[in-house]
Amino acid sequence: MDYSKVIFVCDYAANYAGNFIASLNRLAVELKENNKKVVFIFPKKAERKNWEINLSAYQVVFTDFNYRDLLKTIKKEIPDNKKVIIHTHFISSMFLLKLRHILSPSNSKIIFHQHMAVKFGIKQMIKGIILRLFGFKNTLYIGVSPAVFNDVCKEVGKDKARLVINSLDLTRLHITNDNKAKKIFLYLVRIIKEKV
């Protein structure tokens, strides 16, 4: 299926772009090179953030992230009879139940990106049953680590889940061959037990 547009819906308003915005920008570059229109939807509170990553080559929309306003914003970005992908980040999986009211299964695909492991229990089992029965059928769920992927598989089943390991976009690092320059490598890590 040939999709004409990818809409990234990201509940992200950190003060820094970090690897998240850099990686999305890298993906957007690839999509644009393949003649896909790219739209980013962020919360209004992200509008004045200085992420130092230029997204001006794409349409960037800021909106309130309550379900009503977010659905209205997404719907405005879906062209008539065009195939679109909605790629979500940091959004509740239950929002997918709302998306099915504005999307056509024949023209749309949802990619639900799960960044954090959850404490899997009865609540996740119930959510999984609801998503399997009533969720948008053309949805792919991504887990960013083996632990997150395992949770996704438990919730929605292995056939709809994919493991895509978090990675760094190294093209944004400036590497010099200047022998006079001091070589400094800064490595910061925070181990998040839920992602291991």
Side-chain angles (χ1 to χ4, degrees):
M1 193 177 282
D2 191 29
Y3 295 93
S4 62
K5 191 177 205 180
V6 177
I7 303 169
F8 293 101
V9 180
C10 313
D11 193 2
Y12 187 83
N15 290 326
Y16 51 88
N19 189 56
F20 176 68
I21 298 296
S23 295
L24 282 184
N25 184 52
R26 183 72 193 120
L27 179 55
V29 167
E30 299 276 337
L31 290 166
K32 191 171 182 184
E33 287 173 359
N34 286 292
N35 299 314
K36 307 299 181 205
K37 186 165 173 49
V38 175
V39 177
F40 290 99
I41 299 176
F42 293 108
K44 275 192 177 175
K45 60 188 174 186
E47 194 165 10
R48 302 227 188 286
K49 303 294 180 183
N50 180 12
W51 286 332
E52 298 181 2
I53 292 175
N54 189 355
L55 299 177
S56 65
Y58 318 103
Q59 183 180 350
V60 180
V61 178
F62 298 95
T63 189
D64 287 318
F65 261 54
N66 63 62
Y67 284 175
R68 187 179 52 83
D69 289 345
L70 187 53
L71 285 170
K72 195 185 316 180
T73 301
I74 293 169
K75 189 170 184 166
K76 273 194 250 178
E77 296 304 325
I78 300 173
D80 291 336
N81 300 318
K82 298 285 184 183
K83 297 179 185 336
V84 298
I85 294 175
I86 311 289
H87 190 157
T88 68
H89 293 270
F90 308 110
I91 303 283
S92 165
S93 58
M94 298 314 283
F95 181 68
L96 301 178
L97 298 174
K98 303 290 184 187
L99 272 177
R100 72 188 183 122
H101 297 295
I102 65 167
L103 297 176
S104 161
S106 62
N107 284 349
S108 307
K109 180 175 189 136
I110 297 172
I111 299 173
F112 179 83
H113 216 107
Q114 179 68 29
H115 291 269
M116 298 296 289
V118 293
K119 212 172 195 177
F120 201 84
I122 191 74
K123 181 180 174 186
Q124 263 53 50
M125 290 171 62
I126 292 169
K127 269 175 59 175
I129 291 168
I130 291 169
L131 287 170
R132 288 179 201 203
L133 292 175
F134 305 110
F136 191 74
K137 299 303 178 203
N138 200 7
T139 302
L140 178 69
Y141 297 83
I142 293 176
V144 300
S145 72
V148 175
F149 174 71
N150 287 337
D151 283 351
V152 170
C153 289
K154 288 179 196 172
E155 192 167 278
V156 296
K158 284 187 178 181
D159 58 320
K160 291 187 152 262
R162 300 293 181 275
L163 173 62
V164 178
I165 301 291
N166 265 352
S167 61
L168 293 176
D169 175 16
L170 298 178
T171 60
R172 65 192 174 107
L173 299 178
H174 302 288
I175 300 171
T176 179
N177 289 329
D178 183 0
N179 289 334
K180 296 175 191 167
K182 287 184 180 179
K183 294 184 179 174
I184 298 173
F185 186 76
L186 181 61
Y187 187 76
L188 300 173
V189 151
R190 180 178 77 152
I191 298 175
I192 301 173
K193 184 180 176 188
E194 291 80 15
K195 281 193 169 186
V196 177

